[in-house]
Amino acid sequence: RVFTPKKMAALEPKIREFCARSLDPLVGSGGFDFIGDLGAQMPMRTIGMLLGIPEQDQEAIRDRIDRNLSLEDGKTVSVVAENFGAEMFSEYIDWRADHPSDDLMTELLQAEFEDETGTVRTLTRDEVLLYTMMLAGAGNETTTRLIGWTGKVLAEHPDQRRELVEDPTLVPNAIEELLRYEAPSPVQARYVARDTEHHGTPVPEGSILLLLNGSANRDERQFPDDDAFDIHRDVGHHLSFGYGIHFCLGAALARLEGRVALEEVLARFPTWEVDHDRARQARTSTVRGWESLPVVIGS
């Protein structure tokens, strides 16, 4: 309920403020980095504000999450809680338990629900910790990648970018097409808890499934001319936010952040070119996008 479209819409002025804080100092600079100057800043401020994380601590948490999602040759990724700042979040949760506030961490601590046994209860401390860490990670990483793809794809389609400058009402659908065209989270892994069958193929308990939702977004049966980027496309239902009970909790927030970021960029910088020599793609286990995407601003 915390992430309803209505509640998320109320955040728009604050998100615009975060964008302005990032972008205004760059006007007249000749260039900026879609990730370093915007994508790594605004989403971090937004999810940090929602959770109730002090602003002076937000960058450290973001950087720690980034480091532990990154892949290196010859190394596996450890997903133990300590690697994602469990001790830092534990301190916030303990403080909020004694000092409730108007933030998401407090709501998680106080929310009552009926669990699978029929018992009405609140979340355990470990459950609150898990949700807080998950929201902080997802709220930082995926929207950052969306903003990076916005800069990359629109640089490659200047005619469509010009249309967005001339008619900002096209921006929301452009964000949906960007999500379809370059899914920030293109794969989802699942552990199979019991024997089942999918499309006539037995899938035994203990299997690991890797769901290629990024590939599904290019399914020519669903999306004609699937490999073309088109801001006028009737996107319908893409799978970048998942499906069913696994539909992304923060979809409304991600859409809002993506739209506001693009509107604010276009209002200041109607043209840009990617500096490919300095651009770096991130290597992670769960999301796909840019670690750095510097651009040169057109005159």
Side-chain angles (χ1 to χ4, degrees):
R1 291 188 295 272
V2 173
F3 286 91
T4 62
K6 183 177 180 180
K7 286 191 174 184
M8 293 302 99
L11 298 175
E12 182 167 336
K14 197 66 179 177
I15 292 173
R16 287 197 187 277
E17 179 188 322
F18 291 147
C19 286
R21 187 195 303 184
S22 296
L23 296 173
D24 282 349
L26 303 170
V27 174
S29 66
F32 69 98
D33 191 323
F34 262 88
I35 302 300
D37 292 318
L38 180 60
Q41 300 299 321
M42 180 268 283
M44 169 192 69
R45 302 296 180 205
T46 302
I47 197 67
M49 174 188 69
L50 280 172
L51 284 169
I53 296 171
E55 189 162 314
Q56 66 269 21
D57 296 340
Q58 292 169 2
E59 288 196 26
I61 289 174
R62 178 204 63 203
D63 292 345
R64 186 161 185 173
I65 292 169
D66 283 348
R67 284 196 304 271
N68 286 287
L69 286 176
S70 297
L71 297 176
E72 295 181 33
D73 289 338
K75 294 184 179 180
T76 58
V77 176
S78 175
V79 293
V80 295
E82 287 75 15
N83 284 355
F84 291 87
E87 73 285 353
M88 298 172 69
F89 289 112
S90 293
E91 293 175 7
Y92 299 136
I93 290 167
D94 291 342
W95 170 261
R96 277 287 170 253
D98 295 328
H99 304 84
S101 183
D102 182 22
D103 58 38
L104 185 50
M105 216 178 300
T106 300
E107 292 205 35
L108 287 171
L109 285 162
Q110 296 179 346
E112 290 190 347
F113 68 101
E114 184 177 317
D115 69 14
E116 71 279 6
T117 69
T119 303
V120 176
R121 65 179 180 89
T122 57
L123 293 169
T124 66
R125 185 181 179 282
D126 283 348
E127 288 170 338
V128 173
L129 177 61
L130 178 64
Y131 269 104
T132 302
M133 291 168 58
M134 183 271 291
L135 291 170
N140 273 300
E141 282 292 322
T142 52
T143 310
T144 297
R145 306 309 170 193
L146 170 60
I147 291 171
W149 285 119
T150 298
K152 172 73 160 48
V153 174
L154 290 179
E156 295 170 343
H157 298 83
D159 291 346
Q160 296 189 60
R161 180 178 60 193
R162 187 180 308 113
E163 287 189 74
L164 296 173
V165 172
E166 295 171 352
D167 185 2
T169 65
L170 298 173
V171 168
N173 197 68
I175 293 298
E176 295 304 310
E177 175 67 345
L178 282 160
L179 285 163
R180 180 200 73 85
Y181 191 72
E182 293 288 7
S185 181
V187 297
Q188 311 296 323
R190 291 290 182 266
Y191 173 84
V192 180
R194 60 179 181 272
D195 291 344
T196 186
E197 183 178 294
H198 282 288
H199 300 281
T201 300
V203 183
E205 176 185 342
S207 299
I208 301 297
L209 287 183
L210 190 66
L211 310 172
L212 306 180
N213 52 298
S215 177
N217 284 346
R218 299 287 187 100
D219 185 344
E220 67 277 4
R221 297 168 298 179
Q222 183 72 21
F223 304 104
D225 201 11
D226 51 295
D227 286 332
F229 176 74
D230 181 5
I231 62 172
H232 300 288
R233 182 190 298 274
D234 182 5
V235 179
H237 184 77
H238 61 72
L239 292 178
S240 292
F241 289 125
Y243 187 75
I245 64 169
H246 293 287
F247 188 76
C248 175
L249 187 68
L253 177 59
R255 285 180 163 123
L256 174 62
E257 289 180 300
R259 173 176 63 81
V260 170
L262 180 51
E263 289 171 349
E264 294 296 315
V265 167
L266 292 173
R268 294 166 177 80
F269 314 112
T271 63
W272 64 83
E273 297 290 337
V274 174
D275 183 346
H276 293 282
D277 291 339
R278 295 192 298 130
R280 297 192 310 275
Q281 195 159 6
R283 297 184 62 204
T284 80
S285 59
T286 54
V287 293
R288 178 174 177 270
W290 297 90
E291 181 179 325
S292 176
L293 192 79
V295 299
V296 178
I297 300 169
S299 56

mmCIF file with all atom_site columns, all heavy atoms in Angstrom, residues 8 19 29 71 159 167 193 213 233 249 273 284:
data_model
loop_
_atom_site.group_PDB
_atom_site.id
_atom_site.type_symbol
_atom_site.label_atom_id
_atom_site.label_alt_id
_atom_site.label_comp_id
_atom_site.label_asym_id
_atom_site.label_entity_id
_atom_site.label_seq_id
_atom_site.pdbx_PDB_ins_code
_atom_site.Cartn_x
_atom_site.Cartn_y
_atom_site.Cartn_z
_atom_site.occupancy
_atom_site.B_iso_or_equiv
_atom_site.pdbx_formal_charge
_atom_site.auth_seq_id
_atom_site.auth_comp_id
_atom_site.auth_asym_id
_atom_site.auth_atom_id
_atom_site.pdbx_PDB_model_num
ATOM 1  N N   . MET A 1 8   ? 2.805  7.592   -4.711  1.00 0.00 ? 8   MET A N   1
ATOM 2  C CA  . MET A 1 8   ? 4.027  7.899   -5.451  1.00 0.00 ? 8   MET A CA  1
ATOM 3  C C   . MET A 1 8   ? 3.913  9.249   -6.159  1.00 0.00 ? 8   MET A C   1
ATOM 4  O O   . MET A 1 8   ? 4.875  10.013  -6.224  1.00 0.00 ? 8   MET A O   1
ATOM 5  C CB  . MET A 1 8   ? 4.333  6.793   -6.460  1.00 0.00 ? 8   MET A CB  1
ATOM 6  C CG  . MET A 1 8   ? 4.712  5.456   -5.824  1.00 0.00 ? 8   MET A CG  1
ATOM 7  S SD  . MET A 1 8   ? 6.160  5.562   -4.727  1.00 0.00 ? 8   MET A SD  1
ATOM 8  C CE  . MET A 1 8   ? 5.396  5.648   -3.106  1.00 0.00 ? 8   MET A CE  1
ATOM 9  N N   . CYS A 1 19  ? 16.317 16.158  -8.969  1.00 0.00 ? 19  CYS A N   1
ATOM 10 C CA  . CYS A 1 19  ? 16.851 16.280  -10.330 1.00 0.00 ? 19  CYS A CA  1
ATOM 11 C C   . CYS A 1 19  ? 17.481 17.650  -10.542 1.00 0.00 ? 19  CYS A C   1
ATOM 12 O O   . CYS A 1 19  ? 18.576 17.763  -11.107 1.00 0.00 ? 19  CYS A O   1
ATOM 13 C CB  . CYS A 1 19  ? 15.745 16.053  -11.364 1.00 0.00 ? 19  CYS A CB  1
ATOM 14 S SG  . CYS A 1 19  ? 15.231 14.336  -11.560 1.00 0.00 ? 19  CYS A SG  1
ATOM 15 N N   . SER A 1 29  ? 28.083 23.544  -18.858 1.00 0.00 ? 29  SER A N   1
ATOM 16 C CA  . SER A 1 29  ? 29.346 22.843  -18.604 1.00 0.00 ? 29  SER A CA  1
ATOM 17 C C   . SER A 1 29  ? 29.889 22.126  -19.826 1.00 0.00 ? 29  SER A C   1
ATOM 18 O O   . SER A 1 29  ? 31.053 21.727  -19.839 1.00 0.00 ? 29  SER A O   1
ATOM 19 C CB  . SER A 1 29  ? 29.149 21.823  -17.475 1.00 0.00 ? 29  SER A CB  1
ATOM 20 O OG  . SER A 1 29  ? 28.259 20.781  -17.894 1.00 0.00 ? 29  SER A OG  1
ATOM 21 N N   . LEU A 1 71  ? 30.341 -7.870  -10.782 1.00 0.00 ? 71  LEU A N   1
ATOM 22 C CA  . LEU A 1 71  ? 30.978 -9.146  -11.090 1.00 0.00 ? 71  LEU A CA  1
ATOM 23 C C   . LEU A 1 71  ? 32.426 -8.925  -11.504 1.00 0.00 ? 71  LEU A C   1
ATOM 24 O O   . LEU A 1 71  ? 32.740 -7.949  -12.179 1.00 0.00 ? 71  LEU A O   1
ATOM 25 C CB  . LEU A 1 71  ? 30.243 -9.839  -12.238 1.00 0.00 ? 71  LEU A CB  1
ATOM 26 C CG  . LEU A 1 71  ? 28.785 -10.242 -11.998 1.00 0.00 ? 71  LEU A CG  1
ATOM 27 C CD1 . LEU A 1 71  ? 28.194 -10.812 -13.275 1.00 0.00 ? 71  LEU A CD1 1
ATOM 28 C CD2 . LEU A 1 71  ? 28.683 -11.251 -10.870 1.00 0.00 ? 71  LEU A CD2 1
ATOM 29 N N   . ASP A 1 159 ? 15.935 11.938  -33.795 1.00 0.00 ? 159 ASP A N   1
ATOM 30 C CA  . ASP A 1 159 ? 14.642 12.420  -34.301 1.00 0.00 ? 159 ASP A CA  1
ATOM 31 C C   . ASP A 1 159 ? 13.542 12.206  -33.273 1.00 0.00 ? 159 ASP A C   1
ATOM 32 O O   . ASP A 1 159 ? 12.685 13.090  -33.069 1.00 0.00 ? 159 ASP A O   1
ATOM 33 C CB  . ASP A 1 159 ? 14.286 11.716  -35.610 1.00 0.00 ? 159 ASP A CB  1
ATOM 34 C CG  . ASP A 1 159 ? 15.193 12.122  -36.764 1.00 0.00 ? 159 ASP A CG  1
ATOM 35 O OD1 . ASP A 1 159 ? 15.909 13.134  -36.616 1.00 0.00 ? 159 ASP A OD1 1
ATOM 36 O OD2 . ASP A 1 159 ? 15.203 11.424  -37.796 1.00 0.00 ? 159 ASP A OD2 1
ATOM 37 N N   . ASP A 1 167 ? 7.183  17.864  -27.703 1.00 0.00 ? 167 ASP A N   1
ATOM 38 C CA  . ASP A 1 167 ? 5.910  17.428  -27.119 1.00 0.00 ? 167 ASP A CA  1
ATOM 39 C C   . ASP A 1 167 ? 6.179  16.541  -25.904 1.00 0.00 ? 167 ASP A C   1
ATOM 40 O O   . ASP A 1 167 ? 6.217  15.312  -26.018 1.00 0.00 ? 167 ASP A O   1
ATOM 41 C CB  . ASP A 1 167 ? 5.079  16.674  -28.154 1.00 0.00 ? 167 ASP A CB  1
ATOM 42 C CG  . ASP A 1 167 ? 3.691  16.299  -27.626 1.00 0.00 ? 167 ASP A CG  1
ATOM 43 O OD1 . ASP A 1 167 ? 3.376  16.655  -26.470 1.00 0.00 ? 167 ASP A OD1 1
ATOM 44 O OD2 . ASP A 1 167 ? 2.936  15.632  -28.359 1.00 0.00 ? 167 ASP A OD2 1
ATOM 45 N N   . ALA A 1 193 ? 10.623 -24.916 -5.828  1.00 0.00 ? 193 ALA A N   1
ATOM 46 C CA  . ALA A 1 193 ? 10.378 -25.485 -4.501  1.00 0.00 ? 193 ALA A CA  1
ATOM 47 C C   . ALA A 1 193 ? 9.701  -26.854 -4.547  1.00 0.00 ? 193 ALA A C   1
ATOM 48 O O   . ALA A 1 193 ? 9.741  -27.595 -3.564  1.00 0.00 ? 193 ALA A O   1
ATOM 49 C CB  . ALA A 1 193 ? 9.528  -24.517 -3.677  1.00 0.00 ? 193 ALA A CB  1
ATOM 50 N N   . ASN A 1 213 ? 13.198 -12.237 -19.014 1.00 0.00 ? 213 ASN A N   1
ATOM 51 C CA  . ASN A 1 213 ? 12.148 -11.269 -19.306 1.00 0.00 ? 213 ASN A CA  1
ATOM 52 C C   . ASN A 1 213 ? 12.614 -10.217 -20.317 1.00 0.00 ? 213 ASN A C   1
ATOM 53 O O   . ASN A 1 213 ? 11.812 -9.667  -21.069 1.00 0.00 ? 213 ASN A O   1
ATOM 54 C CB  . ASN A 1 213 ? 11.636 -10.596 -18.029 1.00 0.00 ? 213 ASN A CB  1
ATOM 55 C CG  . ASN A 1 213 ? 12.714 -10.018 -17.173 1.00 0.00 ? 213 ASN A CG  1
ATOM 56 O OD1 . ASN A 1 213 ? 13.577 -10.735 -16.681 1.00 0.00 ? 213 ASN A OD1 1
ATOM 57 N ND2 . ASN A 1 213 ? 12.686 -8.713  -16.976 1.00 0.00 ? 213 ASN A ND2 1
ATOM 58 N N   . ARG A 1 233 ? 5.049  3.483   -30.031 1.00 0.00 ? 233 ARG A N   1
ATOM 59 C CA  . ARG A 1 233 ? 4.558  2.112   -29.976 1.00 0.00 ? 233 ARG A CA  1
ATOM 60 C C   . ARG A 1 233 ? 3.459  1.958   -28.923 1.00 0.00 ? 233 ARG A C   1
ATOM 61 O O   . ARG A 1 233 ? 3.545  2.528   -27.829 1.00 0.00 ? 233 ARG A O   1
ATOM 62 C CB  . ARG A 1 233 ? 5.716  1.162   -29.636 1.00 0.00 ? 233 ARG A CB  1
ATOM 63 C CG  . ARG A 1 233 ? 5.316  -0.314  -29.602 1.00 0.00 ? 233 ARG A CG  1
ATOM 64 C CD  . ARG A 1 233 ? 6.439  -1.168  -29.035 1.00 0.00 ? 233 ARG A CD  1
ATOM 65 N NE  . ARG A 1 233 ? 7.647  -1.109  -29.846 1.00 0.00 ? 233 ARG A NE  1
ATOM 66 C CZ  . ARG A 1 233 ? 7.867  -1.893  -30.895 1.00 0.00 ? 233 ARG A CZ  1
ATOM 67 N NH1 . ARG A 1 233 ? 6.951  -2.791  -31.260 1.00 0.00 ? 233 ARG A NH1 1
ATOM 68 N NH2 . ARG A 1 233 ? 8.992  -1.788  -31.580 1.00 0.00 ? 233 ARG A NH2 1
ATOM 69 N N   . LEU A 1 249 ? 7.145  -4.202  -6.837  1.00 0.00 ? 249 LEU A N   1
ATOM 70 C CA  . LEU A 1 249 ? 6.518  -3.380  -5.808  1.00 0.00 ? 249 LEU A CA  1
ATOM 71 C C   . LEU A 1 249 ? 6.665  -1.890  -6.111  1.00 0.00 ? 249 LEU A C   1
ATOM 72 O O   . LEU A 1 249 ? 5.769  -1.090  -5.864  1.00 0.00 ? 249 LEU A O   1
ATOM 73 C CB  . LEU A 1 249 ? 7.176  -3.709  -4.465  1.00 0.00 ? 249 LEU A CB  1
ATOM 74 C CG  . LEU A 1 249 ? 6.591  -3.112  -3.194  1.00 0.00 ? 249 LEU A CG  1
ATOM 75 C CD1 . LEU A 1 249 ? 5.222  -3.699  -2.915  1.00 0.00 ? 249 LEU A CD1 1
ATOM 76 C CD2 . LEU A 1 249 ? 7.526  -3.385  -2.024  1.00 0.00 ? 249 LEU A CD2 1
ATOM 77 N N   . GLU A 1 273 ? 25.412 13.882  -27.265 1.00 0.00 ? 273 GLU A N   1
ATOM 78 C CA  . GLU A 1 273 ? 26.059 12.738  -27.896 1.00 0.00 ? 273 GLU A CA  1
ATOM 79 C C   . GLU A 1 273 ? 26.832 11.968  -26.837 1.00 0.00 ? 273 GLU A C   1
ATOM 80 O O   . GLU A 1 273 ? 27.479 12.577  -25.970 1.00 0.00 ? 273 GLU A O   1
ATOM 81 C CB  . GLU A 1 273 ? 27.018 13.181  -29.015 1.00 0.00 ? 273 GLU A CB  1
ATOM 82 C CG  . GLU A 1 273 ? 26.347 13.882  -30.181 1.00 0.00 ? 273 GLU A CG  1
ATOM 83 C CD  . GLU A 1 273 ? 25.485 12.938  -31.011 1.00 0.00 ? 273 GLU A CD  1
ATOM 84 O OE1 . GLU A 1 273 ? 25.748 11.704  -30.959 1.00 0.00 ? 273 GLU A OE1 1
ATOM 85 O OE2 . GLU A 1 273 ? 24.551 13.425  -31.686 1.00 0.00 ? 273 GLU A OE2 1
ATOM 86 N N   . THR A 1 284 ? 27.017 -6.829  -13.544 1.00 0.00 ? 284 THR A N   1
ATOM 87 C CA  . THR A 1 284 ? 26.399 -7.266  -12.296 1.00 0.00 ? 284 THR A CA  1
ATOM 88 C C   . THR A 1 284 ? 25.654 -8.576  -12.533 1.00 0.00 ? 284 THR A C   1
ATOM 89 O O   . THR A 1 284 ? 25.463 -9.015  -13.664 1.00 0.00 ? 284 THR A O   1
ATOM 90 C CB  . THR A 1 284 ? 25.401 -6.218  -11.748 1.00 0.00 ? 284 THR A CB  1
ATOM 91 O OG1 . THR A 1 284 ? 24.159 -6.335  -12.440 1.00 0.00 ? 284 THR A OG1 1
ATOM 92 C CG2 . THR A 1 284 ? 25.936 -4.803  -11.896 1.00 0.00 ? 284 THR A CG2 1
#
